Amino acid sequence: MIERDGEQSGWFSRLKRGLGKSAGALSEGITGILTKRRLDSDSLEALEELLIASDLGVSLAARMTAELGRSRLDGEITSEEVRRILAREIARILQPVAIPFEADASRKPYVALVVGVNGTGKTTTVGKLAHGFRRRGCATIIAAGDTFRAAAIEQIQIWGERSGAEVIAREPGADAAGLTHDAFRRARSRSADVLLIDTAGRLHNRSDLMAELEKIVRVLGKLDNSAPHSVLLVLDATTGQNALRQVEVFRKICGVTGLVMTKLDGTAKGGVLVACAEKFGLPVHAIGVGEGIEDLQPFDAERFAEALVGLG
Amino acid sequence: MFDSLTERLGGVFENLKRRGALSESDVDAALREVRVALLEADVALPVVKSFIDGVRDRAVGAEVLRSVSPAQMVVKIVHDHLIEVLGPETADVEFHAAAPAAVLIVGLQGSGKTTTAAKIGSWLTGRRKKKVLMASLDTRRPAAQEQLRVLGEQAGVATLPIVPGQMPEDIARRAMSAGRLRGCDVVLLDTAGRLHVDEALMAEIAAIRHATDPAEVLLVADSLTGQDAVGVAERFKERVGMTGIVLTRADGDARGGAALSMRAATGCPIKLLGTGESIDALEVFHPDRIASRILGMGDVVGLVERATETVEREEAARLEEKVRKGAFDLDDLAGQLRQIRRMGGMDGIMGMLPGVGKVKRQLADARVDEGLLRRQEAIIQSMTPRERRNARLLNASRKRRVAKGSGTTVQDVNRLLKQFKQMSSMMKKVNKMGNRGLMRHGLPGLPMR
């Protein structure tokens, strides 16, 4: 930027503060690029890079920018308008996948398996989901399927207490598939409405651990050939392009039916979810926005898109 | 972790290798590919830009165009830049403070802090012969303190008794005085996961830092992190002033751009890598080796070093010798299979060999697991010593006998023999690489004859 006197820069920073209230890197960036209010190829390139910076991915960012360029190149346009157009475009991709998570009441128990790589927030998500089902009056049972990580069982038991769901657990190191079997029988005998199965975190490239997950699915299928009724993959919003690979592999191995994205209360925008929606079209059921029991919200395509570009 | 990037750059430079001389536009074309590869690898934009600019400045010029093998020169320049970005030196964990030295472990939720704390505790106790006390200051996540206690028990590292309801800063003070009383060298303080924008929690950690005056503040970050990596690292540096970075889940298949980004953005060295779920899956970070790995030259030094730690020294020397000579029989393979199991499985070891990204993926797709390794050992053990020395002896009837003896099928035996063949030829390739080509340009990371 050209150096100006104090008054000028004061005016500029005021303007910037006013426009960039949402404070996302992307929104600030777009404002910066379009102060001249013309969308030329330079500013389009910068736009593309800013979309990349919110983890949208190179190819998707390039395509969206190109589309924007075709319709508005060399015209006068405000930064607000650019954001609206981008948000609309992103929301258009996300709209079809924004499907709330609901248990089919005709299934008793409705079995939901929760999977993902380590540290994405599976156990916390299971706790929040259990709370949601309990509040709607569903008899809910949690299977403490993470028998590997130290104290994971204690952690889920605390969530069980908080939500009022019964927790079925075995000793640490126990076979997760065996535990799943027990939990399902228990849920059936108590005629529970929902069975939520927590699992140990696993990297999708560990074929031995993925085979273990396959076994859990197989065991469930033997007990009830329609189970698991849903398989939720928990994605961390800070994850970059590797999320695509996670969806691909988990879907192949255990038939993921829907996604939950956690940690959207940070600065990560989770742009990779847009790429996932485009590539796989899997429902996005909910987003995690904090550590509290209520901090699981249904996925709202428009709001997510607006937040991604720094609107609203 | 860096395999995909390796493959990508390998493809780019293969195209360059097929040409005799390089024009400016060739370099630009290659660098465009490198740029996309780095962005897809989640390297942060500003880091990618300066990286590409730096490479271009040096690549487009007389030096490259007059070189006998221009592609090799470009590879070297990219390699040198990677080392520059990753940091020129191997940075070790430091304890220059008076004992007990506090080591503070910080990071976002779910980055792997507690597991890393236990790994570091075990590593310091076992390999560095330090007396260690671990304490969890995580009063937020349910059962977090219990998790560290259990891990400490498993790893044989003492943990501070849990006092319910105590505040993090008070736990930290108690841990320090307990460490002093017990005569500990190091007190490891595991903290609660926190968002870098959570002012209250960042202030809490700054207070803990002030109270304990740690010798090291390690930021634990996930290798799978995307573009947010720079913001997170910068903010933690600004508020807590970390002294190093530990990258977890380096055994995943993420392209690992976060490593480049965080190093470049903060200047903080990456000190350790978490490479698996077992308690000893922790490695010292060697920037030069990782840079070589990115460029597909493998991490043969790392392989040898890891081998010496789990296997006896002479055996490691033998292994290195065998790898170099490519003279390798089924007896050796059986020995290797056993060691591979101890060294963290096939994935761990294959990732360190040059140019095996593709093979590794095929193996992963073919589900090479621990059980398979054990079965393969059984197959070899069912062979006669002569057969083990000369695999060509194995005709159909002998294969049937071996399959029967090991409780497998003839197909399994054939598969093992095929894999053995591939492995021997791969090792010959490693051998050739050590003698010619890139070595002449003074690239580190491969053993010299």
Side-chain angles (χ1 to χ4, degrees):
Chain A
M1 211 177 66
I2 307 156
E3 284 284 331
R4 290 288 171 93
D5 58 42
E7 202 190 323
Q8 272 284 345
S9 68
W11 167 84
F12 180 73
S13 63
R14 267 205 311 283
L15 175 70
K16 202 173 155 191
R17 246 201 324 276
L19 286 172
K21 245 185 184 158
S22 40
L26 183 58
S27 68
E28 266 175 41
I30 292 179
T31 310
I33 295 158
L34 295 171
T35 40
K36 55 184 166 188
R37 298 183 180 232
R38 278 186 79 82
L39 205 55
D40 54 21
S41 58
D42 270 359
S43 53
L44 274 177
E45 194 186 314
L47 266 180
E48 179 190 322
E49 293 188 339
L50 283 156
L51 287 174
I52 291 170
S54 38
D55 285 321
L56 222 67
V58 184
S59 53
L60 186 55
R63 227 184 48 227
M64 293 191 73
T65 316
E67 275 164 24
L68 186 67
R70 259 198 302 283
S71 55
R72 300 281 175 146
L73 195 65
D74 291 329
E76 296 268 315
I77 191 165
T78 67
S79 83
E80 175 89 9
E81 279 174 308
V82 171
R83 286 193 237 170
R84 290 253 169 256
I85 293 165
L86 281 173
R88 218 178 302 137
E89 186 57 27
I90 291 168
R92 197 183 55 76
I93 298 171
L94 292 174
Q95 209 75 63
V97 300
I99 301 166
F101 184 54
E102 268 155 29
D104 177 357
S106 69
R107 308 285 183 194
K108 254 189 185 240
Y110 183 86
V111 182
L113 185 67
V114 179
V115 301
V117 303
N118 318 64
T120 54
K122 285 176 296 304
T123 304
T124 307
T125 300
V126 167
K128 290 172 181 173
L129 283 172
H131 173 71
F133 282 121
R134 288 290 300 137
R135 218 176 29 186
R136 274 176 273 162
C138 296
T140 307
I141 289 186
I142 298 173
D146 185 353
T147 54
F148 177 80
R149 183 165 60 86
I153 297 167
E154 285 86 342
Q155 187 183 348
I156 194 80
Q157 267 161 349
I158 293 168
W159 279 110
E161 280 163 31
R162 286 180 185 173
S163 60
E166 184 185 349
V167 177
I168 307 293
R170 274 192 187 178
E171 73 282 8
D175 176 38
L179 169 90
T180 304
H181 186 268
D182 287 0
F184 184 88
R185 294 229 146 159
R186 175 80 180 155
R188 185 164 269 178
S189 73
R190 299 227 15 221
S191 60
D193 300 303
V194 181
L195 171 63
L196 296 170
I197 304 167
D198 189 20
T199 61
R202 66 200 73 225
L203 284 169
H204 50 284
N205 59 338
R206 284 285 303 271
S207 51
D208 51 341
L209 299 180
M210 293 307 282
E212 209 179 277
L213 205 53
E214 235 173 355
K215 187 176 166 192
I216 294 174
V217 174
R218 214 162 46 231
V219 164
L220 284 168
K222 276 184 189 158
L223 291 161
D224 171 354
N225 59 18
S226 63
H229 305 105
S230 56
V231 179
L232 303 181
L233 175 64
V234 179
L235 295 172
D236 183 333
T238 54
T239 305
Q241 299 309 302
N242 192 247
L244 288 163
R245 184 90 184 126
Q246 290 173 24
V247 176
E248 188 185 333
V249 179
F250 273 98
R251 191 172 70 150
K252 191 172 125 203
I253 301 285
C254 59
V256 170
T257 60
L259 308 175
V260 175
M261 181 165 261
T262 60
K263 304 183 198 174
L264 273 165
D265 47 333
T267 50
K269 300 275 186 192
V272 73
L273 202 58
V274 184
C276 285
E278 254 223 329
K279 188 162 177 199
F280 302 104
L282 283 170
V284 181
H285 291 311
I287 55 169
V289 291
E291 291 170 314
I293 200 157
E294 306 275 356
D295 294 331
L296 190 72
Q297 299 174 350
F299 178 69
D300 181 328
E302 254 165 54
R303 275 185 56 198
F304 183 86
E306 283 171 2
L308 200 72
V309 298
L311 282 169
Chain B
M1 130 192 201
F2 291 108
D3 273 342
S4 313
L5 183 53
T6 303
E7 277 164 32
R8 182 85 189 224
L9 290 184
V12 173
F13 289 118
E14 229 163 72
N15 291 338
L16 284 186
K17 273 172 199 160
R18 276 196 284 275
R19 298 167 186 234
L22 270 181
S23 69
E24 232 179 90
S25 62
D26 283 335
V27 172
D28 273 347
L31 290 183
R32 260 198 300 280
E33 284 293 311
V34 174
R35 175 184 177 272
V36 173
L38 290 173
L39 283 174
E40 283 183 350
D42 293 322
V43 179
L45 257 171
V47 177
V48 171
K49 281 187 173 174
S50 62
F51 184 86
I52 295 293
D53 287 348
V55 171
R56 184 182 288 111
D57 283 352
R58 289 164 71 169
V60 181
E63 197 188 5
V64 171
L65 299 178
R66 279 191 216 125
S67 163
V68 186
S69 174
Q72 284 179 0
M73 200 60 217
V74 178
V75 172
K76 180 177 162 26
I77 291 167
V78 174
H79 175 266
D80 288 351
H81 259 258
L82 277 172
I83 288 182
E84 260 175 55
V85 176
L86 286 166
E89 293 280 312
T90 299
D92 208 346
V93 179
E94 302 290 341
F95 307 104
H96 290 318
V103 175
L104 195 58
I105 293 165
V106 301
L108 300 179
Q109 288 96 339
S111 54
K113 289 174 298 303
T114 306
T115 306
T116 301
K119 283 180 182 177
I120 293 176
S122 160
W123 177 70
L124 289 174
T125 309
R127 284 184 238 174
R128 299 276 298 266
K129 309 286 175 225
K130 301 278 180 197
K131 190 170 178 195
V132 181
L133 176 70
M134 302 194 293
S136 168
L137 314 185
D138 187 352
T139 55
R140 296 167 59 84
R141 185 163 59 89
Q145 299 188 52
E146 176 67 10
Q147 185 185 353
L148 188 69
R149 190 192 65 76
V150 173
L151 287 172
E153 218 166 71
Q154 286 168 6
V157 181
T159 48
L160 188 74
I162 299 166
V163 175
Q166 202 170 29
M167 296 302 288
E169 207 183 316
D170 298 327
I171 304 175
R173 285 183 215 277
R174 185 159 62 89
M176 291 313 291
S177 62
R180 217 166 287 129
L181 284 171
R182 298 184 192 189
C184 291
D185 302 301
V186 181
V187 175
L188 278 173
L189 301 169
D190 177 27
T191 62
R194 65 200 70 221
L195 285 169
H196 54 296
V197 286
D198 187 328
E199 263 314 308
L201 286 178
M202 291 305 277
E204 176 195 277
I205 213 148
I208 292 167
R209 183 189 176 133
H210 186 73
T212 55
D213 189 22
E216 286 270 13
V217 179
L218 300 175
L219 173 70
V220 177
D222 187 338
S223 305
L224 314 180
T225 310
Q227 298 281 332
D228 207 31
V230 165
V232 171
E234 277 176 346
R235 191 88 180 118
F236 268 98
K237 174 150 199 224
E238 189 186 308
R239 290 303 309 265
V240 197
M242 76 260 192
T243 58
I245 297 166
V246 181
L247 274 183
T248 57
R249 281 163 223 146
D251 52 330
D253 63 354
R255 299 175 183 183
L260 299 173
S261 307
M262 293 203 265
R263 176 66 176 92
T266 63
C268 280
I270 296 157
K271 297 202 167 182
L272 296 162
L273 291 181
T275 55
E277 295 192 351
S278 67
I279 199 98
D280 57 355
L282 186 74
E283 289 174 14
V284 173
F285 181 76
H286 293 279
D288 51 340
R289 292 184 201 165
I290 296 294
S292 298
R293 201 157 126 194
I294 292 171
L295 293 176
M297 287 182 279
D299 191 359
V300 177
V301 182
L303 171 72
V304 172
E305 188 174 88
R306 193 133 141 210
T308 49
E309 271 171 12
T310 33
V311 197
E312 278 145 46
R313 249 165 219 291
E314 312 93 81
E315 256 200 281
R318 232 184 90 227
L319 165 69
E320 196 196 338
E321 191 60 30
K322 292 278 183 189
V323 169
R324 270 205 234 160
K325 281 190 177 163
F328 192 72
D329 63 24
L330 282 159
D331 254 334
D332 295 313
L333 181 60
Q336 296 325 313
L337 290 175
R338 262 192 305 280
Q339 285 160 18
I340 284 168
R341 282 218 317 272
R342 272 192 281 171
M343 280 188 282
M346 210 62 179
D347 281 358
I349 210 160
M350 294 294 268
M352 291 190 285
L353 288 170
V356 290
K358 220 184 269 168
V359 180
K360 193 180 158 190
R361 176 148 314 151
Q362 282 163 359
L363 281 173
D365 287 347
R367 295 282 180 89
V368 174
D369 57 14
E370 308 277 292
L372 180 60
L373 293 178
R374 266 192 291 273
R375 277 198 297 284
Q376 295 196 330
E377 251 180 88
I379 292 172
I380 297 173
Q381 276 157 4
S382 301
M383 296 175 185
T384 66
R386 261 186 71 206
E387 285 165 352
R388 286 181 223 171
R389 277 194 302 277
N390 184 3
R392 267 170 304 198
L393 284 176
L394 286 159
N395 56 24
S397 120
R398 282 174 191 254
K399 281 178 189 169
R400 271 198 300 278
R401 193 203 74 240
V402 170
K404 215 169 174 187
S406 55
T408 57
T409 64
V410 173
Q411 284 97 312
D412 289 328
V413 177
N414 282 330
R415 210 170 298 139
L416 170 93
L417 290 172
K418 196 177 163 200
Q419 193 191 330
F420 168 67
K421 224 182 195 166
Q422 283 173 347
M423 247 174 128
S424 333
S425 71
M426 195 174 73
M427 282 172 180
K428 275 176 201 141
K429 268 189 223 153
V430 176
N431 177 36
K432 276 185 200 151
M433 241 173 130
N435 289 329
R436 60 161 176 82
L438 302 169
M439 280 312 292
R440 278 203 313 244
H441 296 287
L443 291 175
L446 288 169
M448 295 287 274
R449 281 256 194 181

